[in-house]
Amino acid sequence: SRVLFICAKEKRKKSACPSFASSQEGQYLRNQMKQQLANIFSLSGNFKGTLDFAKKYINLYENMETFCPFDPEHFSHYWDRRMQNFMKLCMLVALSRGAGLEGENLTLTSDDFDRSLSYLEEAENEMPFVFADFGRAKQAATFTKVMNILSQMGEITYVDLLRKMYKDATDFELKQCIDTLTKAGLIYFIN
C-alpha cells in the first residue's frame, strides 16, 4: 500500500548500444546527480504549498474516485494511502527541480502538482497489470494471459488461441477460462 508499482508491458526505448552512461557527458551528469542527491539528503524542514497547489490538491482529494483508473475494491490498501503517496511524489518532483536548494524554499507549486499527477496517472494506468496473475482462482494467470492475447490480437480463432496457450492450459482449462470470461462480459466468443 505504500509503494507505487510500476509495470511496463513493452520496452519504451530499444538501444543496441546504450553507451550514454559511459560517455563524457553521461559521466558529468552522473556526478552532477550524485552531488544534487547529497544536497537533497542534507535538507530539513517542512514543505509548504502555494495557494494554487492547495486548490488543485483539494480538488483531487474531493474527486479522487474520478481520477483513479482502477476500482478501490481490489486495491483498497493502496487506495487508502493514495493521497499520501501523491504528496510524497509531489515533494520528490519539487526536489528534482531544486526546491530547497540554492536559497529556494521547500515550496510545492502548481507545476509540481501537474507533473506529479501526470507521473501518478501514467503509473496507475498500468498498475493493475502488476498483480494481474494473482487471485484466488487457480487459473488467474491463464485468465490474464488470454486477456492479454485478445487485447493484442483483437480477434482470434479458438485453435490459434489454444496454440498460443498449450503450455499454460489444457483444452478443457482453456474452454473453462473462455466460458468464465464470456459470462463475466469481458470477452465475446463467436462460434
Side-chain angles (χ1 to χ4, degrees):
S1 64
R2 292 179 173 90
V3 177
L4 289 175
F5 290 95
I6 307 301
C7 177
K9 291 182 180 179
E10 301 172 8
K11 289 183 180 180
R12 183 174 285 179
K13 294 180 182 178
K14 294 180 181 177
S15 175
C17 186
S19 58
F20 178 76
S22 59
S23 70
Q24 189 173 7
E25 183 182 6
Q27 290 294 320
Y28 172 77
L29 290 174
R30 178 176 180 251
N31 291 334
Q32 291 289 101
M33 183 181 290
K34 284 174 76 174
Q35 182 59 51
Q36 186 161 2
L37 288 172
N39 293 342
I40 289 170
F41 183 74
S42 69
L43 290 175
S44 64
N46 296 324
F47 276 89
K48 292 184 169 95
T50 64
L51 185 57
D52 287 338
F53 177 89
K55 286 178 183 177
K56 287 182 175 188
Y57 181 84
I58 290 168
N59 182 50
L60 178 66
Y61 187 87
E62 290 176 348
N63 298 292
M64 185 167 49
E65 293 83 16
T66 62
F67 290 100
C68 196
F70 47 80
D71 64 299
E73 179 184 344
H74 293 101
F75 281 81
S76 61
H77 296 294
Y78 169 76
W79 187 265
D80 292 341
R81 296 196 194 305
R82 183 172 188 249
M83 294 309 292
Q84 290 172 335
N85 290 343
F86 178 70
M87 186 58 78
K88 291 173 184 177
L89 187 58
C90 289
M91 289 186 276
L92 289 171
V93 165
L95 290 169
S96 75
R97 71 164 165 76
L101 301 174
E102 299 176 17
E104 187 181 329
N105 294 326
L106 289 170
T107 304
L108 301 173
T109 67
S110 177
D111 289 339
D112 296 330
F113 180 95
D114 293 340
R115 282 181 55 207
S116 299
L117 185 58
S118 71
Y119 295 150
L120 184 68
E121 287 174 338
E122 183 180 358
E124 287 180 344
N125 192 39
E126 303 292 328
M127 196 184 297
F129 296 109
V130 173
F131 302 109
D133 290 350
F134 296 97
R136 292 187 185 147
K138 288 194 290 186
Q139 297 160 324
T142 305
F143 292 144
T144 301
K145 190 164 184 181
V146 167
M147 293 295 290
N148 285 339
I149 290 169
L150 293 175
S151 70
Q152 290 171 359
M153 311 251 335
E155 291 183 11
I156 189 170
T157 66
Y158 179 77
V159 172
D160 288 339
L161 182 60
L162 184 57
R163 284 186 184 128
K164 290 184 175 291
M165 296 291 300
Y166 78 93
K167 290 184 178 181
D168 299 302
T170 65
D171 178 48
F172 176 75
E173 291 169 334
L174 187 57
K175 284 179 181 171
Q176 279 187 316
C177 177
I178 288 173
D179 184 51
T180 301
L181 293 172
T182 302
K183 286 178 180 174
L186 298 171
I187 66 169
Y188 298 98
F189 184 69
I190 302 169
N191 283 334

